[in-house]
Amino acid sequence: MFVLASLLVFVSVSSLAAAAFASVLGSLTLPAAASGLVLGASVALYSWRRCRSLSKPSLSRPGVFDAVALATFAVVCLRHFLWLYFERDGVIRTLDPHNYGDLPLHITYVAHFVKGGRFWPENPIFTGEMLHYPFGIDLFTAMLVKLGLPIGLVLPAMGLAGAAALGLALFAWGRGFAVAAFLFSGGLAGFQVLWTGAWKDYQAALAWKNLFLTLFVPQRGFLFAFPAGLVLLWSWRRRILRKETGLPSLVEGVLWGTMPLFHIHSFLFLSVVFAIWVTAERAVKAALPTFLWAVVPATWCVAHLTSPGRAASFVWLKPGWLIGRQNVLVFLAVNFGIFLVLAAWATAVAAVRKSREHLLLIVPALGLFVVFFFVMLAPAEWDNTKVMAWCYLLALPAMSELVLDRLRMPLRAAAWALLFFSGFVCVASSLGGSGYEVARVEEREEVCRAVASLPADARVATVQTFNHPVALCGQPLVAGYGGHLWSHGIVSGPVEERLRALMMGDPDWRARAQGLGARYLFWGSREQDEFGGSRRPWESAARMVTRGRFGTVYDLAADR
């Protein structure tokens, strides 16, 4: 755990330092990337030495169930992350369908940083908007690509590294039970395979989906947030709840303070749990050094990633979350299976035994879980899963230690089957298939050559799609995919209307381009399909920058 914590410190400090250096230098330059990695390695080495001076907490060796859970987790992670980004027959593909829409967005961020986009970055998929998305893991990826590593190698390698870190963190947090509970999370939907005979992700149609497939693989910020957050919970549990040796305050503070750069929802959840535990245990003095190490980086990150009015607009009330008109009990049973039953059972046992430690695990977990059935933290209600997943993880040790571990093996095996079978069906069905097309290699390479000479921050007017080759090359667009814009809380309607008018060649197209900040326009097959009736006045009035098989780039500010 000390080695894992130090490696996570390396990632967090490197990313934070690179963001700070890039802000000073104006972009992610090669010196900024290299200096960030050097500083991160230095702090990580110092953290490891500080950890070595402490007494090492012992973890008992894995039992049979633990070993099976860890081995299964490893096999699934190898399958998903080695095929996260792969080429076949001239097409770049990804295995997980949940990654189909998200991966191009992350590639866009990485490519924009590498190309030299201005820092603090403007949003590369929306004009006039600063980038408020927590991009820490994409920035770290861009640092490695900037140093010469191919993105096709870096993406799978980082996925596997994050998976290894998560596997160890889950085991330390709740042993093999936590590993299996995360990997095979789900409800009862998967039991349909018993009468349909069809192996597929039945849970995908429900509100509570499999966390591994829908959060960990596609939501790249969780590659850092899940293992780092679990390491913090593990250390805080030992230090605050048990009064034992945890991680040094420096390590806790760095991981906690840089968390907003990687995942805002995780930072909020961890901060609330930390406050509850410190208040309940009256451990303010013991917690103060951690807070002091965290407050400056956390404040800097949150200040840059949010604006007061915009952040407040993300919080809204919707009683029932995604229940709608469904029967409440049926919804809870189908989505969560016996998870809530076991959690309630563990709460009762903890209360009867007056186990303060377990109550401080299970009560905040269930309490916050209920809160997030009423308070939405993002425009899309489903995004509450990103914090509800933490409630689920927080409750697992109490469920295991107070309930499942005390059952006789037949009953325990039956409980495992009810808890894990649906998720097992989801994950097992995800291991096959040939993947989903992200981009065509030849098209992307040609378009990247076409826009290589354009200024890094020059916006291009294109059709709105999630995997436009111009965006995959790091060139910012006037407006990207509408689904991404909406889920990020961006009110894009007016800009989209003006963009359509521009692409249709309205008489005032130059004024519209200037108002949208569109210096260039790309016209390819996607644009032809979407705007087939366009007058295309730029063909005769604007300077053509380059023309190829896959499209033409026009300079809208220069006459032909």
Side-chain angles (χ1 to χ4, degrees):
M1 289 298 290
F2 288 162
V3 173
L4 172 59
S6 299
L7 291 175
L8 291 169
V9 165
F10 166 65
V11 175
S12 64
V13 173
S14 296
S15 303
L16 181 67
F21 292 150
S23 297
V24 173
L25 298 175
S27 65
L28 182 66
T29 62
L30 184 60
S35 299
L37 291 170
V38 170
L39 182 59
S42 301
V43 176
L45 179 60
Y46 176 75
S47 301
W48 179 65
R49 289 179 174 175
R50 287 284 305 275
C51 290
R52 286 187 63 189
S53 65
L54 303 174
S55 59
K56 295 182 179 180
S58 60
L59 287 175
S60 57
R61 291 185 177 182
V64 174
F65 177 76
D66 300 327
V68 171
L70 287 168
T72 306
F73 184 80
V75 170
V76 173
C77 288
L78 285 169
R79 172 57 170 151
H80 272 277
F81 287 111
L82 287 178
W83 279 266
L84 176 77
Y85 180 101
F86 66 100
E87 182 182 337
R88 179 177 296 169
D89 299 326
V91 175
I92 297 172
R93 299 176 180 273
T94 189
L95 180 66
D96 187 355
H98 300 288
N99 214 24
Y100 176 57
D102 283 358
L103 184 59
L105 179 63
H106 291 291
I107 294 173
T108 295
Y109 290 153
V110 172
H112 184 59
F113 296 148
V114 173
K115 187 177 174 78
R118 183 170 56 249
F119 240 86
W120 193 264
E122 293 185 355
N123 195 326
I125 64 168
F126 196 72
T127 186
E129 173 89 7
M130 300 304 292
L131 184 55
H132 295 293
Y133 185 87
F135 57 80
I137 202 69
D138 293 323
L139 179 61
F140 188 78
T141 304
M143 294 163 65
L144 300 178
V145 175
K146 193 78 174 179
L147 292 177
L149 295 176
I151 191 170
L153 172 64
V154 175
L155 289 174
M158 288 189 61
L160 289 173
L166 177 58
L168 178 56
L170 284 168
F171 180 74
W173 178 242
R175 300 190 64 78
F177 174 73
V179 177
F182 179 82
L183 180 61
F184 300 136
S185 55
L188 300 178
F191 282 90
Q192 295 177 72
V193 72
L194 299 178
W195 56 85
T196 65
W199 285 76
K200 63 179 183 179
D201 187 356
Y202 294 96
Q203 204 72 26
L206 302 181
W208 183 254
K209 309 179 191 301
N210 180 266
L211 301 179
F212 177 85
L213 297 178
T214 60
L215 292 185
F216 187 60
V217 176
Q219 305 278 334
R220 287 181 52 78
F222 277 121
L223 292 176
F224 175 87
F226 272 144
L230 286 169
V231 165
L232 285 172
L233 291 175
W234 171 85
S235 182
W236 291 342
R237 183 186 185 188
R238 292 179 56 85
R239 199 162 60 81
I240 297 174
L241 303 187
R242 295 179 176 175
K243 309 301 186 290
E244 297 175 351
T245 301
L247 296 170
S249 298
L250 166 66
V251 177
E252 291 182 352
V254 167
L255 294 181
W256 183 24
T258 56
M259 186 66 73
L261 189 61
F262 296 88
H263 204 261
I264 287 283
H265 291 91
S266 298
F267 171 73
L268 292 173
F269 180 87
L270 292 167
S271 298
V272 170
V273 171
F274 184 76
I276 292 173
W277 287 1
V278 168
T279 302
E281 294 297 297
R282 299 179 181 178
V284 174
K285 184 176 181 181
L288 186 59
T290 295
F291 174 80
L292 293 177
W293 279 111
V295 65
V296 172
T299 302
W300 189 81
C301 291
V302 170
H304 280 82
L305 289 167
T306 62
S307 59
R310 190 172 184 275
S313 68
F314 282 3
V315 181
W316 54 290
L317 296 177
K318 186 184 178 183
W321 188 42
L322 291 171
I323 295 178
R325 296 184 178 181
Q326 301 176 64
N327 180 281
V328 175
L329 294 179
V330 172
F331 176 90
L332 295 177
V334 172
N335 277 272
F336 301 102
I338 65 168
F339 162 64
L340 294 177
V341 174
L342 293 175
W345 188 353
T347 305
V349 173
V352 169
R353 297 183 178 180
K354 298 180 180 180
S355 174
R356 187 176 182 82
E357 176 185 334
H358 289 112
L359 285 172
L360 285 173
L361 289 175
I362 199 73
V363 172
L366 291 181
L368 291 172
F369 197 78
V370 171
V371 168
F372 297 132
F373 263 79
F374 293 85
V375 181
M376 306 299 111
L377 300 183
E381 300 97 315
W382 185 83
D383 281 352
N384 264 29
T385 304
K386 298 173 183 177
V387 281
M388 295 168 77
W390 279 110
C391 300
Y392 177 79
L393 292 173
L394 184 62
L396 294 179
M399 289 166 50
S400 177
E401 294 165 11
L402 295 179
V403 178
L404 293 173
D405 290 353
R406 301 175 183 274
L407 296 177
R408 293 181 179 180
M409 183 50 69
L411 290 177
R412 192 187 312 172
W416 286 343
L418 288 173
L419 194 60
F420 301 148
F421 184 77
S422 183
F424 172 78
V425 173
C426 298
V427 172
S429 66
S430 74
L431 301 180
S434 57
Y436 298 82
E437 179 178 323
V438 173
R440 294 190 174 274
V441 175
E442 190 177 12
E443 179 187 27
R444 183 186 176 192
E445 289 178 350
E446 182 178 297
V447 172
C448 286
R449 287 194 296 269
V451 301
S453 61
L454 304 187
D457 293 299
R459 292 198 180 269
V460 182
T462 67
V463 69
Q464 291 180 258
T465 184
F466 71 97
N467 63 344
H468 201 289
V470 171
L472 297 179
C473 296
Q475 201 68 39
L477 307 182
V478 171
Y481 177 55
H484 289 151
L485 300 177
W486 173 76
S487 66
H488 292 179
I490 298 173
V491 180
S492 58
V495 168
E496 291 177 338
E497 291 177 6
R498 290 154 57 198
L499 174 62
R500 170 165 283 276
L502 166 62
M503 301 301 287
M504 291 301 293
D506 278 12
D508 59 348
W509 61 275
R510 280 193 188 274
R512 289 187 181 277
Q514 185 175 8
L516 291 169
R519 172 68 186 272
Y520 299 93
L521 183 146
F522 180 88
W523 193 268
S525 60
R526 294 174 180 81
E527 286 71 24
Q528 179 61 43
D529 292 341
E530 180 68 20
F531 310 110
S534 174
R535 300 180 182 89
R536 291 185 278 179
W538 47 81
E539 292 184 349
S540 58
R543 181 176 68 88
M544 184 182 69
V545 177
T546 182
R547 171 175 289 166
R549 286 176 301 162
F550 298 102
T552 306
V553 179
Y554 296 93
D555 185 344
L556 301 182
D559 293 330
R560 186 169 180 175

